[in-house]
Amino acid sequence: MSQASITEQLATLNFTQDLPESVRDALAKIASERTLAPGDVACREGQSTKELFLIVSGHVGLDMFVPGRGQVRILTLRSGEVLSWSAIVGNHGATATGTALDKTHVIVFHDDDLTRLCQTNHHVGYLVMRELAKAISRRLVSTRLQLLDLFATEKA
Amino acid sequence: MSSTSTGLPNLDPWLAYTVRIAAVTHEIDDVSTYHLKFTDQAVADTFSFQPGQFNMLYLPGVGEAAISISSDPAKHAMLDHTVRIAGNVTRTLANLEVGATFGLRGPFGSAWPVDACCDRDVIIVTGGIGLAPLRPAIYELLNRASEFGQLTLLYGARESAGLLYTGEFDEWRSRGLDIHTTVDRASGGWTGNVGVVPQLLDRLPLNDPQNTTVLCCGPEVMMWYTARSALGRGIPQERVYVSLERNMNCAIGLCGHCQFGPTFVCKDGPVVRYDCVADFLRVEGF
Amino acid sequence: MTTEYFLPKAALQSLIDCLHGDGFTVVGPTVEQSAIIYDEIESVDALPRGWTDRQEAAKYRLERRDDDSLFGFVVGPHSWKKYLFPPLTTLSSAQQSESGWQMQTPEADARKLAFLGVRACELAAIGIQDRVFTGGPYVDPVYNARRKNAFIIAVNCTQSASTCFCRSMNTGPRCSSGFDLALTELPDGFVIEVGSDAGTELLGRLATESVTAEQLEAAEQARQQAIDQQTKQLNTDSIRDLLLGNLDHPRWAEVGAICLGCTNCTMVCPTCFCSSVEDVADLSGENVERQRHWDSCFNLSFSYMSHGTARNTIAHRYRQWLTHKLASWHDQFDSSGCVGCGRCITWCPVGIDLTEEVATIRGNEAFCDLGTENEE
Ligand SMILES: Cc1cc2nc3c(=O)[nH]c(=O)nc-3n(C[C@H](O)[C@H](O)[C@H](O)COP(=O)(O)OP(=O)(O)OC[C@H]3O[C@@H](n4cnc5c(N)ncnc54)[C@H](O)[C@@H]3O)c2cc1C
Ligand code: SF4
Ligand code: SF4
């Protein structure tokens, strides 16, 4: 698959669509593409992860292991969302297991390349980190809402 | 406030009509749909309602409860109410047999702005039993599907066992409703989406946010985050509608219980435009 | 200019008699349990002749006057709402029969009430409750039936209590509309104004005299006294936005810590209309009545929902009361919900004064503005 198609895809994805074109081009240069088959594991809880994924299509389930309960699904990710942010900001230890639920197309950034790009070009670095922070903050809000267990005593 | 209040269905707004339970559908744990018929044919012939309106169900000797109408406004044979057991009235109702009678006052309150959705995309965002007051809107939107753009339902529950009306989803899909479900907690073989409802909206591809209407019913926190997400996606705040809940005693704006700032939830609501209540939704204890 | 007449004091009884003759139940002020309350009266002797009331925050005391005035006081703990919007009413009944439950409306209360001694602030309060109970999409049949029949004889105040602030609320002390007849009391009689055809008709049957310039002048002076004596004020400028824009003001917590949540203020307020309906069944359970009783936004249960109570603390409930009364009432009914009668100040056991609460919120806001300018 060509670089041009990655650039095009970045222009449509929630995570990257608001970035300036030059920044998307810089990102496209260090990105690769991959297709996950249902059941493929993109990152595994507790294990080192060096890749950050941007989901283009398909779904990825995030599971955490709870002794006595097994794998518990905590979130489903879909197009436009980041997977495995720990690769960039989390000391490389994956906090959950990400498993493709169907045929899932992803854009992949290697930590070394992305970190190097961000460090050498702070403009890109700032914008990428800001998008990452926004994505993580959205995830945090959702997690809080989940924590509130709003439908435990619910209303119509 | 927002939509219409219908005129007086009954000259004495305190007087309840008699209804008989014609059938009961068990939906999920603690939730059943009661299919009601008026005992007086003249009432049955004239009673009409708009999607989003509610009735006061009156169990003599026990009390009244505000319950949304959950049936198709175009069908007059039966009036459906989907009720969750919450306390005295709803528990007593759950113990009644088919054939039993009780009282009903209504219809009360404002309606979902179905007509204002013409030529627009409509996204229904709701959770748990919040789908009950939206089901009449879904029926009406699907009955007139050609008048609207894309119709989408984003529906969440605590667990998959808390999703209502799932038996109708295939039919709704076949008639043009794009349905996305999600649960807060995955359990027992659920392979669908996990995560909270507002997140579904965060990710939904939108054709034309400026011309999209959001109809939302659920706990206040959920509605607030849904509205935030909608606004973040470029949907104008005057096209976001929420359905409020407050203590409901008279349902006719005379008892004071249901006030939410300037809004009487019973007659100005329950369906209100988000921008009319946005300032108050996150004020503690208001 | 309305035409005015003079009714000698001795002829007041004939007014009551005429009303009785027309089938009215006459309600007026009378002394009971050390307060001037409203009750059914048969004769002028029931009126509080020679009594006055002394009021301040949390204080109410009857004192002897040095004259024989019949209306020489302001307002007491009662208001006319207890007649138009009764504290306890049956709204409907239900009977279990072979064909199931049948619901019925009770016989309409056809009683004709005549109110004697309605003050300007109370006329305004009745006007406000008219809008609440009969001005919306749903008309309350109980209020409507009583209100339609009511005959109102207003009395102009000739003094103000320290708790009165009707001038700030533009409701008094002069009675300007909403009455059938309006009296101004002089030592030997009343200057009477007519406010309706029914008033004219009734007056025609009384032994009135034509009024003299001196009497008119004396009445004017008496009314001026009420204006001059009034000291309490409430600044209503942009009050809606002031209160609704300060929902997180620290003052709510402060007043919430003092307020007992006793509901007195809402019970004595002539405009408060909150109520609850409950079922009362006989022993068989087959005959049930739906009864409405006065309720209050100060009660915890008032905002109960099965998944949680909306207003959990007294601070939340005080804020609800004040913001409803002075702010959201404007959105709902196009007027303030307060007529400045001062009852809530007098009858609050801990002396909370709504005018002070508003002033504090207003003052602190101004202070905050200054504060940013003078930031060190
Ligand atoms: C506009 C509106 C629409 C609703 N639609 C539905 C629906 O479609 N399905 C459904 O299951 N529920 C619905 N509810 C919630 C339902 O009204 C309450 O669950 C029900 O009143 C509980 O009554 P109860 O006697 O069983 O509970 P209890 O906890 O025993 O309630 C005691 C009393 O509180 C009073 N009360 C007044 N308002 C409420 C309230 N909002 N919540 C709880 N108690 C209240 C009732 O008079 C009740 O008798 C709706 C509420 C509103 C305001
Ligand atoms: S709020 Fe107080 S002063 Fe105002 S009308 Fe009510 S009782 Fe009178
Ligand atoms: S303000 Fe005063 S009268 Fe009103 S509830 Fe509080 S303590 Fe009682």
Side-chain angles (χ1 to χ4, degrees):
Chain A
M1 290 173 205
S2 68
Q3 294 245 321
S5 107
I6 292 188
T7 317
E8 275 165 25
Q9 292 173 50
L10 290 181
T12 65
L13 295 177
N14 204 350
F15 187 81
T16 39
Q17 64 186 4
D18 293 335
L19 296 175
E21 210 177 316
S22 61
V23 175
R24 285 202 302 262
D25 288 343
L27 286 171
K29 285 208 183 82
I30 58 163
S32 61
E33 289 177 83
R34 194 177 299 161
T35 300
L36 306 173
D40 280 0
V41 172
C43 57
R44 198 174 290 282
E45 183 180 2
Q47 293 190 0
S48 159
T49 172
K50 297 282 273 177
E51 290 175 324
L52 176 82
F53 305 94
L54 258 183
I55 302 174
V56 179
S57 64
H59 298 87
V60 174
L62 279 188
D63 299 294
M64 289 177 86
F65 180 73
V66 184
R69 283 169 64 191
Q71 293 291 345
V72 177
R73 175 73 36 91
I74 45 160
L75 196 61
T76 314
L77 303 177
R78 63 171 71 185
S79 171
E81 291 187 288
V82 281
L83 167 65
S84 183
W85 47 262
S86 315
I88 308 298
V89 290
N91 294 333
H92 305 150
T95 56
T97 301
T99 311
L101 301 176
D102 41 21
K103 190 176 160 204
T104 301
H105 189 63
V106 292
I107 293 175
V108 189
F109 298 93
H110 196 277
D111 168 41
D112 294 345
D113 302 329
L114 189 58
T115 305
R116 192 176 316 115
L117 174 64
C118 292
Q119 276 173 354
T120 50
N121 184 339
H122 285 182
H123 178 57
V124 174
Y126 165 71
L127 291 171
V128 169
M129 286 303 153
R130 195 182 64 175
E131 287 308 317
L132 203 56
K134 280 204 260 180
I136 295 174
S137 99
R138 274 198 296 272
R139 195 105 23 116
L140 179 64
V141 169
S142 304
T143 307
R144 286 183 187 157
L145 285 176
Q146 244 166 330
L147 205 67
L148 288 178
D149 201 6
L150 292 173
F151 298 113
T153 51
E154 45 133 281
K155 55 148 275 187
Chain B
M1 294 267 122
S2 75
S3 320
T4 48
S5 258
T6 54
L8 275 182
N10 195 330
L11 275 179
D12 179 355
W14 293 110
L15 189 64
Y17 305 116
T18 304
V19 288
R20 188 178 299 284
I21 303 179
V24 179
T25 306
H26 175 77
E27 304 282 359
I28 54 174
D29 262 4
D30 281 351
V31 179
S32 293
T33 298
Y34 302 85
H35 310 275
L36 308 178
K37 270 178 179 259
F38 293 101
T39 54
D40 182 344
Q41 191 55 40
V43 176
D45 291 343
T46 51
F47 191 96
S48 71
F49 71 95
Q50 298 171 50
Q53 289 194 295
F54 66 96
N55 286 320
M56 295 302 282
L57 301 189
Y58 170 44
L59 274 62
V62 188
E64 284 189 326
I67 305 292
S68 309
I69 308 174
S70 63
S71 46
D72 186 341
K75 295 194 175 142
H76 294 283
M78 216 95 84
L79 204 54
D80 296 350
H81 295 79
T82 302
V83 186
R84 188 180 63 94
I85 298 177
N88 292 335
V89 175
T90 48
R91 187 169 302 110
T92 310
L93 178 63
N95 290 331
L96 293 181
E97 310 272 339
V98 169
T101 60
F102 57 88
L104 178 152
R105 293 191 294 132
F108 297 120
S110 59
W112 298 109
V114 176
D115 288 335
C117 296
C118 281
D119 300 324
R120 299 182 204 286
D121 292 345
V122 182
I123 307 173
I124 291 171
V125 189
T126 181
I129 199 162
L131 184 54
L134 277 156
R135 190 167 69 163
I138 292 176
Y139 288 137
E140 182 156 347
L141 288 165
L142 291 177
N143 290 345
R144 300 162 47 187
S146 62
E147 297 174 44
F148 310 102
Q150 174 64 49
L151 304 176
T152 308
L153 168 64
L154 308 179
Y155 182 36
R158 188 187 200 205
E159 305 166 305
S160 51
L163 293 168
L164 277 179
Y165 311 137
T166 47
E168 291 182 70
F169 285 7
D170 281 344
E171 198 213 324
W172 292 355
R173 283 197 173 100
S174 74
R175 295 171 67 192
L177 185 65
D178 183 22
I179 304 180
H180 303 257
T181 53
T182 187
V183 297
D184 283 358
R185 280 137 213 252
S187 58
W190 171 258
T191 54
N193 200 72
V194 180
V196 293
V197 203
Q199 220 171 9
L200 291 181
L201 184 57
D202 281 339
R203 304 152 166 184
L204 188 76
L206 302 179
N207 302 323
D208 180 6
Q210 282 294 323
N211 277 308
T212 299
T213 303
V214 171
L215 312 179
C216 179
C217 180
E220 269 168 39
V221 184
M222 174 264 192
M223 295 195 288
W224 193 76
Y225 277 100
T226 300
R228 246 175 59 134
S229 165
L231 269 44
R233 299 295 307 279
I235 298 173
Q237 58 174 355
E238 62 276 11
R239 285 208 218 301
V240 177
Y241 291 81
V242 295
S243 180
L244 300 172
E245 180 178 0
R246 276 292 178 271
N247 182 302
M248 199 77 27
N249 196 265
C250 74
I252 50 180
L254 303 180
C255 77
H257 283 259
C258 70
Q259 287 179 82
F260 183 64
T263 308
F264 281 100
V265 172
C266 68
K267 64 180 169 111
D268 306 319
V271 178
V272 294
R273 245 170 56 184
Y274 172 73
D275 55 338
C276 299
V277 292
D279 287 350
F280 306 125
L281 266 181
R282 298 296 285 150
V283 178
E284 192 189 337
F286 193 55
Chain C
M1 260 229 59
T2 51
T3 334
E4 289 167 89
Y5 304 87
F6 187 77
L7 187 74
K9 259 211 177 142
L12 188 64
Q13 183 62 42
S14 65
L15 172 67
I16 296 175
D17 294 340
C18 272
L19 288 165
H20 282 149
D22 291 348
F24 282 98
T25 300
V26 180
V27 183
T30 190
V31 174
E32 199 180 295
Q33 292 184 0
S34 315
I36 295 171
I37 59 150
Y38 298 145
D39 204 349
E40 289 177 27
I41 58 167
E42 294 301 322
S43 84
V44 289
D45 294 336
L47 298 174
R49 178 180 285 121
W51 286 104
T52 192
D53 47 9
R54 208 157 286 295
Q55 306 193 35
E56 53 193 275
K59 287 208 179 66
Y60 178 94
R61 204 171 53 238
L62 286 191
E63 283 177 3
R64 273 283 168 205
R65 296 177 61 92
D66 53 14
D67 62 19
D68 274 344
S69 285
L70 296 172
F71 298 98
F73 53 89
V74 288
V75 292
H78 285 186
S79 69
W80 308 99
K81 85 171 175 186
K82 79 170 189 165
Y83 291 96
L84 296 173
F85 166 50
L88 186 67
T89 338
T90 297
L91 296 170
S92 73
S93 63
Q95 286 80 38
Q96 174 80 278
S97 71
E98 262 161 39
S99 58
W101 284 102
Q102 295 303 325
M103 272 59 73
Q104 255 124 40
T105 302
E107 285 279 308
D109 184 344
R111 229 165 31 136
K112 288 163 59 182
L113 295 165
F115 300 151
L116 172 61
V118 183
R119 307 302 177 135
C121 61
E122 300 185 305
L123 292 172
I126 292 171
I128 287 173
Q129 287 212 327
D130 284 350
R131 284 197 289 284
V132 172
F133 287 113
T134 66
Y138 298 97
V139 171
D140 184 64
V142 176
Y143 184 94
N144 199 35
R146 291 172 171 236
R147 179 69 178 95
K148 265 194 332 221
N149 287 334
F151 189 90
I152 292 180
I153 303 158
V155 167
N156 282 302
C157 284
T158 53
Q159 63 189 70
S160 276
S162 76
T163 44
C164 293
F165 58 103
C166 59
R167 293 186 67 200
S168 297
M169 305 316 290
N170 278 324
T171 59
R174 183 84 156 93
C175 299
S176 54
S177 66
F179 53 79
D180 294 293
L181 296 173
L183 320 181
T184 303
E185 184 172 15
L186 297 179
D188 51 350
F190 302 93
V191 172
I192 303 195
E193 286 164 78
V194 179
S196 72
D197 293 344
T200 310
E201 194 281 322
L202 184 76
L203 208 60
R205 290 186 270 147
L206 302 181
T208 53
E209 299 167 3
S210 54
V211 69
T212 65
E214 292 73 38
Q215 286 165 336
L216 285 177
E217 172 60 26
E220 189 57 42
Q221 270 177 18
R223 292 190 295 256
Q224 185 62 38
Q225 194 166 291
I227 297 173
D228 295 342
Q229 282 177 4
Q230 201 164 106
T231 52
K232 190 172 285 301
Q233 287 181 347
L234 174 64
N235 177 353
T236 59
D237 289 346
S238 309
I239 194 163
R240 178 200 178 274
D241 296 344
L242 173 79
L243 294 179
L244 291 181
N246 274 297
L247 296 176
D248 52 1
H249 198 284
R251 184 65 185 185
W252 302 118
E254 289 163 25
V255 66
I258 304 166
C259 169
L260 308 171
C262 69
T263 79
N264 269 11
C265 49
T266 53
M267 296 296 118
V268 296
C269 178
T271 68
C272 275
F273 61 87
C274 287
S275 66
S276 283
V277 180
E278 268 157 28
D279 272 36
V280 182
D282 69 0
L283 280 178
S284 74
E286 295 187 345
N287 297 291
V288 180
E289 286 197 341
R290 300 229 78 205
Q291 292 186 345
R292 172 169 74 189
H293 57 83
W294 287 359
D295 203 340
S296 167
C297 57
F298 280 93
N299 286 326
L300 180 62
S301 62
F302 196 72
S303 62
Y304 166 87
M305 290 178 283
S306 33
H307 55 88
T309 297
R311 294 182 281 276
N312 266 311
T313 67
I314 292 187
H316 293 153
R317 301 199 284 279
Y318 187 87
R319 182 181 65 186
Q320 170 61 22
W321 180 65
L322 202 70
T323 55
H324 181 220
K325 192 111 295 206
L326 299 175
S328 40
W329 209 293
H330 286 277
D331 300 80
Q332 298 170 344
F333 303 109
D334 259 346
S335 77
S336 176
C338 173
V339 297
C341 72
R343 285 181 176 90
C344 57
I345 305 170
T346 300
W347 296 96
C348 174
V350 292
I352 295 171
D353 176 340
L354 77 170
T355 64
E356 283 171 17
E357 298 311 312
V358 174
T360 306
I361 287 171
R362 196 183 284 283
N364 277 7
E365 206 191 35
F367 179 75
C368 288
D369 289 343
L370 279 179
T372 35
E373 271 170 31
N374 303 341
E375 216 160 17
E376 282 165 35

